[in-house]
Amino acid sequence: MSDILRPADHFRLHWRHAKADFWRCWKQCFEEGADRTRLLIILGTIRSLYWQSLGQGVTNIGRAIGNWWRKVAPIHQLGEVVL
C-alpha cells in the first residue's frame, strides 16, 4: 500500500483540519478576545483549498467547502461566496 494520498483524500484531510482550526480559533477570537489575524489566515487556507479542489476536479470537496462558507458567512463576515 502506498503512502501517497489520492487528491480527494488529500483535500478531505486538509479541509477537516482547516475547519477544526477555524472553530477553535473562532472561539478564541470572539469569546476570549484574541487577535483576529489567525482566523483570517485560516479562512485564507480554506479559500485556497476550495479553489485547489475545484481546479483538481474534486468538486464534491469544493461544494462542501462552498456550502460551509455560505453557512458560516454571518460569522466570518467575508461574504457568502468564496472569492
Side-chain angles (χ1 to χ4, degrees), residues 32-82:
E32 301 169 12
D35 182 21
R36 190 169 176 192
T37 303
R38 176 90 175 116
L39 185 66
L40 292 173
I41 291 170
I42 294 166
L43 286 165
T45 299
I46 292 170
R47 177 180 279 146
S48 176
L49 286 169
Y50 172 78
W51 289 110
Q52 288 178 52
S53 64
L54 292 179
Q56 293 292 319
V58 188
T59 56
N60 59 333
I61 300 296
R63 263 192 310 274
I65 294 171
N67 290 337
W68 176 88
W69 188 277
R70 184 173 25 264
K71 180 180 174 183
V72 299
I75 295 170
H76 62 59
Q77 302 170 351
L78 296 177
E80 292 185 359
V81 178
V82 182

Side-chain angles (χ1 to χ4, degrees), residues 25-36:
C25 186
W26 180 86
K27 181 179 180 182
Q28 293 172 350
C29 183
F30 290 100
E31 292 181 5
E32 301 169 12
D35 182 21
R36 190 169 176 192

Side-chain angles (χ1 to χ4, degrees), residues 15-31:
W15 164 229
R16 187 176 19 214
H17 287 205
K19 190 168 44 170
D21 286 346
F22 173 84
W23 290 116
R24 187 172 27 259
C25 186
W26 180 86
K27 181 179 180 182
Q28 293 172 350
C29 183
F30 290 100
E31 292 181 5

